[in-house]
């Protein structure tokens, strides 16, 4: 049996329409998506704040196309905006993935009940 291939690869996120970041993202040729890893809880709080410079103290990398990534993340997705769908006071932003870098040695983190959790891989 032949496996089906879905394309193009897409990911999505939601953003509040009144966000000051929204216009900056809309005009970008490429967007970097960093899946934060163990040890990034401070970075996540900084990036989620309303401070003017959320990247202070973070080590970043920017590609020639303009995608910005957080150093030490478990994965980087090099993307561009494919579509934006209105959804009440938010927009659903659909991103087309152009490239992926994975660092399996770094466990990703999740956020639940106002707490960051390490998401360790469990063998199946």
């Amino acid at each position: 049996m032949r496996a089906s291939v879905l394309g193009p690869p897409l990911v999505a996120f939601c953003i509040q329409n009144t966000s000051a970041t929204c216009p900056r993202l809309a005009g970008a040729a490429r967007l970097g998506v960093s899946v934060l890893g163990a040890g990034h809880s401070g970075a996540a709080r900084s990036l989620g704040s309303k401070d003017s410079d959320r990247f202070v103290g973070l080590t970043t990398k920017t590609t020639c196309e303009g995608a910005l990534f957080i150093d030490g993340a478990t994965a980087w997705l090099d993307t561009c905006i494919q579509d934006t769908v209105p959804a009440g006071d938010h927009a659903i932003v659909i991103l087309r993935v152009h490239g992926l870098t994975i660092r399996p040695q770094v466990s990703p983190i999740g956020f639940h009940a106002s707490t960051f959790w390490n998401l360790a891989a469990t063998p199946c």
Side-chain angles (χ1 to χ4, degrees):
M1 178 191 289
R2 185 177 152 186
S4 64
V5 177
L6 301 176
L10 303 172
V11 295
F13 69 93
C14 296
I15 190 165
Q16 191 171 16
N17 294 333
T18 57
S19 167
T21 305
C22 200
R24 293 183 66 196
L25 298 179
R30 291 286 179 99
L31 298 176
V33 176
S34 296
V35 178
L36 299 180
H40 277 126
S41 59
R45 291 199 188 280
S46 176
L47 292 167
S49 75
K50 294 189 185 261
D51 291 342
S52 61
D53 192 354
R54 299 173 186 161
F55 294 91
V56 167
L58 299 179
T59 304
T60 61
K61 176 185 175 189
T62 304
T63 66
C64 296
E65 296 84 8
L68 182 130
F69 299 106
I70 306 300
D71 190 46
T74 191
W76 289 345
L77 290 84
D78 183 357
T79 71
C80 70
I81 296 176
Q82 170 103 7
D83 200 2
T84 303
V85 180
D89 63 351
H90 281 68
I92 302 168
V93 182
I94 302 167
L95 303 173
R96 182 179 193 148
V97 179
H98 295 280
L100 171 66
T101 302
I102 298 174
R103 291 176 188 78
Q105 70 276 15
V106 179
S107 295
I109 59 172
F111 186 74
H112 174 68
S114 298
T115 303
F116 287 98
W117 301 84
N118 287 333
L119 304 175
T122 304
C124 297

